[in-house]
């Protein structure tokens, strides 16, 4: 009986052909997915996410290796870009652009700020873009409120513009100014002692995480021009309305996961595997695991890369990576305090220096900044200390007592407040130290490995940006180098810094012409440049 059964096809002939076509399409799709070029990005801060984001959009198979941060006791799953409270300044055009693209609202409104010393309030900074615009640097001088600094001391800053004009971010300019300290720079150009102690040195202790005698003059000129002197409104800032990881990085990573990007936590790079014939990296080793790669981007901080270099037999053979071992870093301690009452803090963002043996530090009114503390009935304040090696070994109670003492010298109301809850973070070797002579040890975006590229706030770039914006921009530049190397995809659009104002352009052109004439004179190379 079974032999009499006849099987009837479930599909007509046309349907069978369409089904076969769909099967072929599926096989083609699977084949194309398997053949996608594999990109490994090491690091998940601004640089790493910037690179991974663009490369995902180009159809590459992107994996981000998150090694975490070693705080000396254990390894925590986060990036140093999320440590402490840091401002986002008006010139951060690329960061603001990606935030707009992600359609998230992580920032406060433009915020006023202040600067304190051990003697009290020294400087108050307005929102410069709200005021009539003057040619640089006159608007900055006119609208900044110096509480105690005499006008004659303020005017002693003007000769420094000569060095600002001369420093045009070229390799020659970097080599000329990098070998001297910022303190020597200010002395050479006639800054008064009070201007140096009450304004410039505190700015560097917070902006470059070290006092002027430990900062490169080249980095100082680049940082001051980008944040303060290029345009009147450049010193305006917004703040993140919570932790950067929660408000920006996590939504961004979710967006990239939807694009096919993979994030692997706890993968600490220990070595690389080379193809001896091509000189290219073919695998990245993480302990007992290995990951194949057609291109690799290292988007880590200095201490993380130094750890990789020391563990890697391949990297130790390359001079450019051995030079990284000469670079140094800065310790950070963050102190978040919940008080038993409300304290009136005039400005949400505050920079400080000149408190005993402490270096630069900042404090922030989290009730005004973070969404989670908007409705708190008591004050929540955070203080971040740079070059905090003397605070690292102290007990939490001793750190808290020191912080409350410092806060009381800034704002008297803190004397009557008591701490009911504290949260202290210790982050050794987490920030870049731009010491005099460090430029010759910095890496460029391309390396001696044809398919290995670099990104981070310490990587050499001619873009002109600093801090988080520089990290993000170098990530985009690294992504573009991958696109160029593999010959696939389109280049990321990088928004340039705003052009110099007309009078600065004219002065720089004149200065270049004079330098060219001077270089042609006899004995021009005889004296130290």
């Amino acid at each position: 009986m079974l032999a009499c059964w006849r099987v009837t096809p479930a599909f007509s002939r046309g349907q069978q052909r369409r089904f076969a076509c769909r099967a072929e399409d599926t096989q083609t799709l699977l084949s194309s997915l398997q053949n996608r070029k594999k990109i490994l990005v090491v690091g998940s801060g601004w640089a790493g996410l910037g690179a991974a984001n663009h490369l995902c959009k180009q159809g590459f198979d992107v994996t981000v290796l998150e090694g975490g941060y070693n705080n000396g006791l254990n390894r925590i799953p986060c990036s140093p870009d999320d440590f402490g409270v840091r401002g986002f300044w008006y010139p951060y055009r690329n960061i603001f652009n990606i935030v707009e693209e992600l359609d998230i609202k992580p920032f406060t409104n433009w915020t006023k700020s202040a600067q304190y010393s051990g003697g009290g309030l020294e400087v108050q900074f307005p929102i410069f873009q709200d005021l009539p615009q003057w040619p640089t640097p006159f608007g900055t001088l006119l609208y900044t409120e110096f509480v105690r600094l005499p006008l004659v001391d303020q005017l002693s800053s003007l000769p420094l513009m000569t060095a600002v004009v001369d420093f045009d971010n070229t390799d020659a300019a970097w080599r000329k100014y990098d070998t001297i300290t910022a303190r020597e720079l200010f002395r050479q150009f006639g800054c008064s002692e009070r201007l140096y102690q009450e304004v410039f040195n505190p700015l560097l202790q917070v902006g470059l995480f070290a006092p002027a005698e430990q900062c490169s003059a080249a980095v100082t000129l680049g940082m001051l021009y980008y944040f303060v002197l290029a345009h009147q409104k450049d010193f305006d800032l917004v703040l993140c309305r919570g932790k950067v990881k929660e408000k920006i990085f996590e939504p961004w990573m979710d967006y990239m996961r939807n694009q096919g990007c993979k994030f692997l936590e706890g993968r600490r790079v220990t070595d690389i595997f080379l193809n001896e014939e091509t000189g290219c990296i073919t695998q990245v080793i993480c302990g007992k695991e290995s990951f194949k790669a057609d291109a690799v981007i290292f988007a880590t901080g200095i201490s993380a890369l130094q750890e990789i270099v020391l563990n890697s037999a391949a990297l130790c053979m390359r001079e450019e990576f051995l030079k990284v071992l000469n670079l140094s870093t800065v310790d950070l301690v963050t102190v978040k305090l919940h008080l038993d009452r409300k304290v009136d803090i005039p400005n949400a963002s505050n920079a400080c220096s000149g408190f005993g043996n402490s270096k630069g530090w900042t404090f922030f009114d989290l009730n005004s900044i973070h969404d989670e503390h908007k409705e708190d009935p008591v004050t929540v304040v955070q203080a971040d200390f740079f070059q905090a090696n003397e605070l690292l070994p102290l007990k939490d109670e001793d750190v808290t007592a020191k912080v409350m003492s410092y806060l009381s010298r800034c704002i008297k109301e803190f004397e009557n407040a008591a701490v009911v809850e504290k949260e202290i973070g210790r982050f050794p070797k987490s920030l870049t130290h731009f010491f005099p002579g460090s430029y010759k040890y910095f890496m460029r975006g391309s390396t001696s490995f044809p398919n290995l590229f670099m990104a981070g706030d310490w990587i050499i770039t001619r873009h002109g940006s600093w801090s988080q914006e520089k990290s993000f921009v170098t990530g985009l530049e690294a992504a573009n180098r991958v696109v160029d190397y593999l010959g696939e995809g389109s280049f990321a659009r990088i928004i340039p810094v705003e052009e110099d104002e007309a009078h600065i352009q004219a002065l720089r052109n004149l200065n270049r012409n004079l330098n060219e004439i001077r270089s042609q004179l006899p004995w021009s190379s005889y004296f130290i440049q």
Side-chain angles (χ1 to χ4, degrees), residues 7 53 91 213 239 278 420 447 498:
V7 178
N53 181 67
E213 65 270 17
L239 297 155
T278 64
V420 296
T447 71
E498 190 174 348

Side-chain angles (χ1 to χ4, degrees), residues 166 172 176 510-529:
D166 190 40
K176 176 179 179 179
L510 176 61
N511 184 66
R512 290 189 190 101
N513 293 334
L514 290 174
N515 286 338
E516 187 174 341
I517 293 172
R518 190 181 298 116
S519 68
Q520 295 173 2
L521 295 175
W523 303 97
S524 62
S525 60
Y526 180 77
F527 299 100
I528 295 176
Q529 299 299 306

